[in-house]
Amino acid sequence: MTNEFTTDYFKDRSFYQVQAGNLVDNPDQRITNDVRNFTDTALSFSMTILNAVIDLVSFSEILYTIYPPLFVVLVVYSVGGTGISIKLGQKLVGLNFQQEAQEANFRYGLVRVRENAESIAFYGGEASEQRLLWQRLSAVIKNYAQLLSTSRNLEFFTSSYRFLIQILPAAVVAPLYFQGKIGFGVINQSSSAFNHILSDVSLVVYQFESIANFGAVIDRLGEFQEVLESSATSRSITTDLADSQPSSSQAPSLIHLVDQPGPSEQGGVLLDLDGVTLQTPDGASTLVQNLSVKVKDGESLLVMGPSGVGKTSVLRAIAGLWSTGSGTITRCGQTVAAGQEGDIMFVPQRPYMVLGSLREQVLYPTWATSPNPFSAEDGAHAQSSTDRDATSSGGASADDTNGSAASPSSRSMRAVPSDQEICQVLRQVQLGPLLDRVSSDAGAGLDTSADWASMLSLGEQQRLAFARIIISKPKLVIMDEATSALDTENEELLYKALKQIGVTFVSVGHRPTLTAYHEQQLRLQPVNNDSSPSGIKWEVGPISEAAVSKI
């Protein structure tokens, strides 16, 4: 079940839509705690209901044979008790739902403190963070107090309900004993049968708190599943609408994202934005209008402009994360993704550090070294990777041949780079001291595992991102301020390294020094008049040598 949720969570980038749109709270807790609670409780209830059914069938005939009116009293008593329990505990489902959410929010606050400990310490924000955590804890306590109050009232009724069971059978059957119609042993027999059957038909009364908690878990998982399905459906509809011309003026306007095989000739087009008008996902604001620009092989593009004009948003549109607007974006080549090589690679300003070894940091995302044990497809991929390693010194394997023929835009998967290649690339991007440190301290070298996001500075993380580019060798790299934390010397070294391996790049940046490594410039500039409906004007042109020489 956990595997199904995680599969849907990552399918069609639903995880990004959930986070960007704040569609549901704490998806991590729903996948872990709620799934575990659901499976445990469902199994427990299944066994309880099975035992109750067997018990009910066994004792119903006995009780009905002894005294039919007593059986009728039992049914009325259990139905009445169930109704009162539902009335008293009807708030429990909502309160349990809120309790799970509030506790998850509190845990998330603690996780944020751990992940941003250095920033908080620099700002001296301990008191502020403690106050925010106390506010979340107060919400937990307040909801828990209401939960305890409702549970107390329900428990009072349940105790009374259990107590009356002890005297009710005897009170109903006793007149028959005094009339001499039944023996004393029949009273005990009827009481035992009555208790058994009443326990079976009163599961709602006795298990109401567990049922309410189970209902809250079902609600949370159901809500999460609906969000994932709607996200996937919305993505599918978006793709279908983008691939067809709207027949009505009421149809949503979407950017048409086209993936084509990469250019075979030198100097071919790698990226083409044709008449692109980009809006925010909700369509409330237009960021740029009628943008047209082409990026050819060997002609890198620099995107510049003041903060807030939408430079990163243009990259989101190219990546397919944002699609509201109009126009066509053509990507010539396959994008790099986990488990596959490609022609186009995206690099964010703060590189993502995976949980794993230093080797896995460098190989991410192209070579997946940790296959999913629940997926037969991933298992086959892992075997295929092993086969490629075994044949790396003697030609392509059969898997490589079949994979390259699968699609005109796919690239045959290279063997996993050797440790020597990885070390060479790390030293090339000036991470030799890191390699020496992990080799001497832990002795594990590339197998060293650590919290890399905390251990490495932002500058080191950005250099590691360039190591991923160099080792993957895509044709086009789209980078969002990928050298913002680096000095100009390292910046020059890294951009020249990309030039040497023939990588074309689209860079978002602010530094004038970046013009020396690009052939074209796209400048976005806000305007203070009504000449541009979006409030942003753009212009594309070559970067002259005179402009570079002035730096």
Side-chain angles (χ1 to χ4, degrees), residues 2 30 36 71 82 98 118 133 146 169-170 203 252 272 287 316 332 338 374 389 415 444 470 503 542:
T2 300
R30 296 175 192 247
R36 183 196 64 210
F71 190 85
T82 300
Q98 287 299 320
E118 182 175 333
L133 287 173
Q146 297 178 13
L203 289 179
D272 185 4
L287 302 176
R316 293 190 183 110
C332 300
F374 297 100
D389 290 341
I470 294 172
V503 173

Side-chain angles (χ1 to χ4, degrees), residues 244-278:
S244 62
Q245 291 297 329
S247 58
S248 169
S249 59
Q250 300 298 322
S253 180
L254 299 170
I255 296 172
H256 191 194
L257 184 63
V258 180
D259 286 326
Q260 294 183 348
S264 57
E265 73 280 1
Q266 188 72 19
V269 175
L270 295 174
L271 179 66
D272 185 4
L273 280 70
D274 184 15
V276 173
T277 295
L278 177 61

Side-chain angles (χ1 to χ4, degrees), residues 13 16-17 20 235 238 255 257 278-281 285 287 310 312-325 329:
R13 291 175 173 169
Y16 176 79
Q17 304 298 331
R235 188 84 177 175
T238 297
I255 296 172
L257 184 63
L278 177 61
Q279 298 175 324
T280 53
S285 177
L287 302 176
T312 301
S313 299
V314 173
L315 301 194
R316 293 190 183 110
I318 296 173
L321 301 180
W322 285 14
S323 58
T324 306
I329 298 177

Side-chain angles (χ1 to χ4, degrees), residues 406-428:
S407 122
S409 63
S410 62
R411 294 173 58 180
S412 58
M413 190 72 173
R414 291 184 292 127
V416 177
S418 65
D419 288 359
Q420 182 179 359
E421 292 176 285
I422 295 174
C423 292
Q424 181 180 354
V425 169
L426 286 174
R427 297 189 186 282
Q428 184 178 358

Side-chain angles (χ1 to χ4, degrees), residues 60-74 169 171-176 179 181-182 186 190 194:
S60 292
E61 184 178 358
I62 297 174
L63 183 63
Y64 191 82
T65 303
I66 293 174
Y67 191 43
L70 183 59
F71 190 85
V72 175
V73 170
L74 182 149
V172 174
V173 181
L176 297 178
Q179 293 174 11
K181 295 181 178 180
I182 60 173
V186 176
S190 63
F194 186 91

Side-chain angles (χ1 to χ4, degrees), residues 138-360:
S138 298
V140 173
I141 296 172
K142 181 179 179 181
N143 189 82
Y144 191 62
Q146 297 178 13
L147 186 62
L148 286 178
S149 177
T150 305
S151 299
R152 176 201 61 199
N153 297 336
L154 182 62
E155 186 62 31
F156 281 160
F157 171 74
T158 304
S159 299
S160 302
Y161 185 86
R162 291 177 183 273
F163 174 75
L164 289 176
I165 291 176
Q166 307 302 321
I167 61 175
L168 189 60
V172 174
V173 181
L176 297 178
Y177 171 75
F178 289 116
Q179 293 174 11
K181 295 181 178 180
I182 60 173
F184 186 77
V186 176
I187 298 179
N188 292 333
Q189 188 179 20
S190 63
S191 296
S192 176
F194 186 91
N195 288 333
H196 272 278
I197 297 174
L198 190 61
S199 297
D200 299 334
V201 297
S202 299
L203 289 179
V204 174
V205 178
Y206 298 150
Q207 303 285 342
F208 195 87
E209 287 193 46
S210 298
I211 293 173
N213 188 45
F214 188 51
V217 169
I218 292 175
D219 285 347
R220 287 176 59 80
L221 289 177
E223 181 185 43
F224 187 43
Q225 184 65 43
E226 289 177 1
V227 167
L228 295 180
E229 290 177 353
S230 64
S231 177
T233 302
S234 175
R235 188 84 177 175
S236 176
I237 293 174
T238 297
T239 303
D240 293 341
L241 288 173
D243 291 340
S244 62
Q245 291 297 329
S247 58
S248 169
S249 59
Q250 300 298 322
S253 180
L254 299 170
I255 296 172
H256 191 194
L257 184 63
V258 180
D259 286 326
Q260 294 183 348
S264 57
E265 73 280 1
Q266 188 72 19
V269 175
L270 295 174
L271 179 66
D272 185 4
L273 280 70
D274 184 15
V276 173
T277 295
L278 177 61
Q279 298 175 324
T280 53
D282 57 5
S285 177
T286 300
L287 302 176
V288 65
Q289 194 166 43
N290 296 324
L291 174 61
S292 295
V293 60
K294 291 184 179 181
V295 178
K296 296 182 178 180
D297 187 17
E299 296 182 5
S300 297
L301 174 70
L302 175 62
V303 183
M304 300 189 76
S307 297
V309 295
K311 301 185 298 296
T312 301
S313 299
V314 173
L315 301 194
R316 293 190 183 110
I318 296 173
L321 301 180
W322 285 14
S323 58
T324 306
S326 61
T328 302
I329 298 177
T330 303
R331 303 184 305 194
C332 300
Q334 183 179 4
T335 57
V336 173
Q340 69 178 32
E341 286 192 285
D343 305 293
I344 304 173
M345 188 174 188
F346 293 87
V347 179
Q349 181 178 4
R350 178 177 287 275
Y352 174 65
M353 297 289 106
V354 300
L355 300 175
S357 65
L358 181 57
R359 178 186 292 102
E360 290 172 315

